[in-house]
């Protein structure tokens, strides 16, 4: 099985981008664009809010030109193509190729059910990852996505992608009932298959999701992640060490939701990936017309239990609430 190496170009392009923004004196700028060209999906996962929040427009899609206009308008060096299920977007190959032509990096977030079938349409590059969602081993994952056989299909697609020389990461959501020992088992299994890194985040509540008992309070999250350092030492976690300290309650971070803006079929989702108070017509409107000071813990009750990575991971990268030694921690993490 061909081995791949986590690209240093991802780190250098992000660092160069942030340096230019800070030199220019920009106060708020995005790090990752969450691009949702569609919300249609082949699964009905229990914890997914998208297929419910946008149920009346689930058949609509963005055009490739609309997607590219958003990529350029936002300017973020990384694009996370999500949804919905991107592999059923009819123009996904064209979209990926056009984004790659801009020298940006891509995380193509997929449940991987169709990955083996669609794989020959793509070309391996160190600027793109197939980011496969796996919430546990076979029984647990199939329960979370409400369909048997999904785990087996995803692993089959993963193996095919690695054999063809693609970079692959896993994306795991931790729910209230998740056994962290099983996550340990999952990561060990995936690394044996050559997976290049793992994303990890606690389950976060959407207003559109009725199954509230699957989500966690901040206290629940801190208890669940109290021993997360063990995973960090054993596996290639793409989650930063500073964000992991936040999850286990060892420090506080400020939410910088503007760092990972979401563009979907309705517009620029404001204020964040989770809360929809308005859909803006442009990225500029999202940044300039959102009263960012009214959101966050202690300000908006919807933010009280949120510890989601797309809100707080940018804080680690931007040095918000930084402490002595953070720069060294981040540098060592990036280098390894």
């Amino acid at each position: 099985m061909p081995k791949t190496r986590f690209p240093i170009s991802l780190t250098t392009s992000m660092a160069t981008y942030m340096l230019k923004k800070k030199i220019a004196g920009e106060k708020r700028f995005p790090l990752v664009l969450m691009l949702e060209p569609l919300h249609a999906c082949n699964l009905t996962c229990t914890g997914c809010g998208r297929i419910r929040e946008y149920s009346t427009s689930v058949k609509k899609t963005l055009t490739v030109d609309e997607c590219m206009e958003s990529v350029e308008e936002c300017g973020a060096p990384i694009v996370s193509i999500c949804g919905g299920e991107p592999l059923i977007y009819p123009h996904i190959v064209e979209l990926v190729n056009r984004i790659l032509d801009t020298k940006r990096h891509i995380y193509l977030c997929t449940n991987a059910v169709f990955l083996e079938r669609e794989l020959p349409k793509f070309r391996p590059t160190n600027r793109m990852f197939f980011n496969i969602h796996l919430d546990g081993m076979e029984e647990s994952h199939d329960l979370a996505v409400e369909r048997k056989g999904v785990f087996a299909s995803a692993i089959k697609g993963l193996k095919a992608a690695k054999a063809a020389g693609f970079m692959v990461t896993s994306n795991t959501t931790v729910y209230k009932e998740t056994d962290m020992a099983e996550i340990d088992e999952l990561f060990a299994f995936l690394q044996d298959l050559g997976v290049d890194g793992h994303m990890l985040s606690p389950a976060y509540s959407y207003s559109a999701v009725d199954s509230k008992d699957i989500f966690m309070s901040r206290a629940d999250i801190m208890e669940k992640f109290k021993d997360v350092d063990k995973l960090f030492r054993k596996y290639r976690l793409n989650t930063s060490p500073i964000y992991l300290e936040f999850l286990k309650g060892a420090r506080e971070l400020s939410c910088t939701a503007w760092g990972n803006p979401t563009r979907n079929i309705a517009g620029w989702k404001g204020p964040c990936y989770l809360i929809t108070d308005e859909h803006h017509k442009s990225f500029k409107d999202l940044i300039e017309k959102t009263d960012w000071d009214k959101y966050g813990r202690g300000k908006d009750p919807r933010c009280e239990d949120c510890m989601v990575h797309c809100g707080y991971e940018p804080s680690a990268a931007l040095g918000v609430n930084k402490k002595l030694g953070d720069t060294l921690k981040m540098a060592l993490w990036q280098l390894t």
Side-chain angles (χ1 to χ4, degrees):
M1 180 180 298
K3 292 185 178 180
T4 53
R5 182 179 179 183
F6 207 82
I8 192 66
S9 61
L10 181 62
T11 301
T12 54
S13 64
M14 179 71 80
T16 302
Y17 166 82
M18 288 193 293
L19 181 60
K20 288 180 178 178
K21 291 294 184 180
K22 290 183 177 181
I23 290 175
E26 295 189 31
K27 183 179 179 181
R28 294 189 175 96
F29 51 87
L31 302 180
V32 179
L33 167 61
M34 313 291 281
L35 180 62
E36 299 174 344
L38 82 171
H39 287 134
C41 191
N42 55 312
L43 298 177
T44 56
C45 303
T46 303
C48 179
R50 287 302 192 264
I51 57 175
R52 295 168 178 86
E53 181 178 357
Y54 296 97
S55 60
T56 59
S57 56
V58 74
K59 293 184 180 180
K60 294 182 179 180
T61 63
L62 292 173
T63 67
V64 174
D65 284 343
E66 286 174 326
C67 289
M68 292 309 301
E69 288 170 5
S70 299
V71 168
E72 295 295 345
E73 180 187 7
C74 172
I78 299 173
V79 179
S80 176
I81 305 177
C82 34
E85 170 50 48
L87 289 182
I88 65 175
Y89 178 59
H91 313 295
I92 187 60
V93 176
E94 180 187 355
L95 176 59
V96 164
N97 289 337
R98 287 181 62 178
I99 294 175
L100 289 174
D101 286 343
T102 69
K103 306 303 180 184
R104 288 176 169 84
H105 289 79
I106 296 173
Y107 281 88
L108 197 159
C109 303
T110 176
N111 56 46
V113 170
F114 302 129
L115 181 55
E116 185 180 28
R117 184 188 74 189
E118 299 297 314
L119 199 60
K121 299 177 183 179
F122 298 91
R123 67 179 190 273
T125 169
N126 66 357
R127 289 187 175 273
M128 186 184 78
F129 300 83
F130 284 111
N131 190 24
I132 299 177
H133 199 109
L134 293 165
D135 286 341
M137 297 299 288
E138 186 165 13
E139 182 178 353
S140 297
H141 183 67
D142 285 355
L143 180 64
V145 302
E146 301 181 5
R147 186 183 299 176
K148 290 185 176 181
V150 172
F151 182 88
S153 294
I155 296 304
K156 194 175 181 181
L158 186 160
K159 289 179 178 179
K162 290 304 303 176
F166 288 91
M167 300 200 72
V168 177
T169 55
S170 66
N171 186 19
T172 299
T173 302
V174 175
Y175 294 95
K176 186 177 289 187
E177 298 302 320
T178 299
D179 184 346
M180 294 302 282
E182 183 176 349
I183 302 303
D184 191 334
E185 179 185 3
L186 174 67
F187 288 176
F189 171 68
L190 294 176
Q191 287 210 180
D192 283 344
L193 297 180
V195 169
D196 299 285
H198 312 279
M199 294 182 178
L200 189 65
S201 181
Y204 40 88
S205 177
Y206 287 83
S207 59
V209 180
D210 294 327
S211 304
K212 303 298 183 184
D213 57 330
I214 68 176
F215 301 116
M216 295 182 283
S217 67
R218 286 174 71 96
D220 292 332
I221 292 170
M222 291 174 186
E223 175 63 24
K224 186 75 74 172
F225 282 84
K226 65 182 180 181
D227 295 323
V228 72
D229 287 345
K230 295 178 181 177
L231 295 178
F232 191 78
R233 288 192 294 268
K234 291 172 68 174
Y235 306 112
R236 295 186 292 270
L237 295 191
N238 293 6
T239 307
S240 80
I242 295 174
Y243 175 63
L244 292 178
E245 288 179 2
F246 170 64
L247 289 181
K248 65 181 184 178
R251 69 182 301 167
E252 190 58 60
L253 288 177
S254 296
C255 181
T256 49
W258 41 265
N260 285 15
T262 301
R263 170 68 162 103
N264 62 34
I265 55 176
W268 292 88
K269 194 172 184 290
C272 68
Y273 188 78
L274 305 181
I275 301 174
T276 310
D277 285 344
E278 186 176 357
H279 287 99
H280 297 269
K281 292 183 179 180
S282 68
F283 174 69
K284 183 178 180 181
D285 279 357
L286 169 66
I287 293 296
E288 296 182 356
K289 295 183 179 180
T290 300
D291 184 0
W292 299 103
D293 291 334
K294 78 176 186 179
Y295 296 102
R297 195 180 184 204
K299 300 175 183 178
D300 189 311
R302 295 171 296 179
C303 303
E304 284 304 299
D305 290 325
C306 181
M307 300 179 82
V308 64
H309 69 93
C310 60
Y312 291 93
E313 278 273 24
S315 296
L318 294 168
V320 179
N321 302 114
K322 64 182 179 181
K323 292 183 178 181
L324 187 65
D326 282 353
T327 301
L328 179 60
K329 286 180 184 178
M330 291 292 284
L332 291 174
W333 171 62
Q334 295 284 358
L335 290 172
T336 56

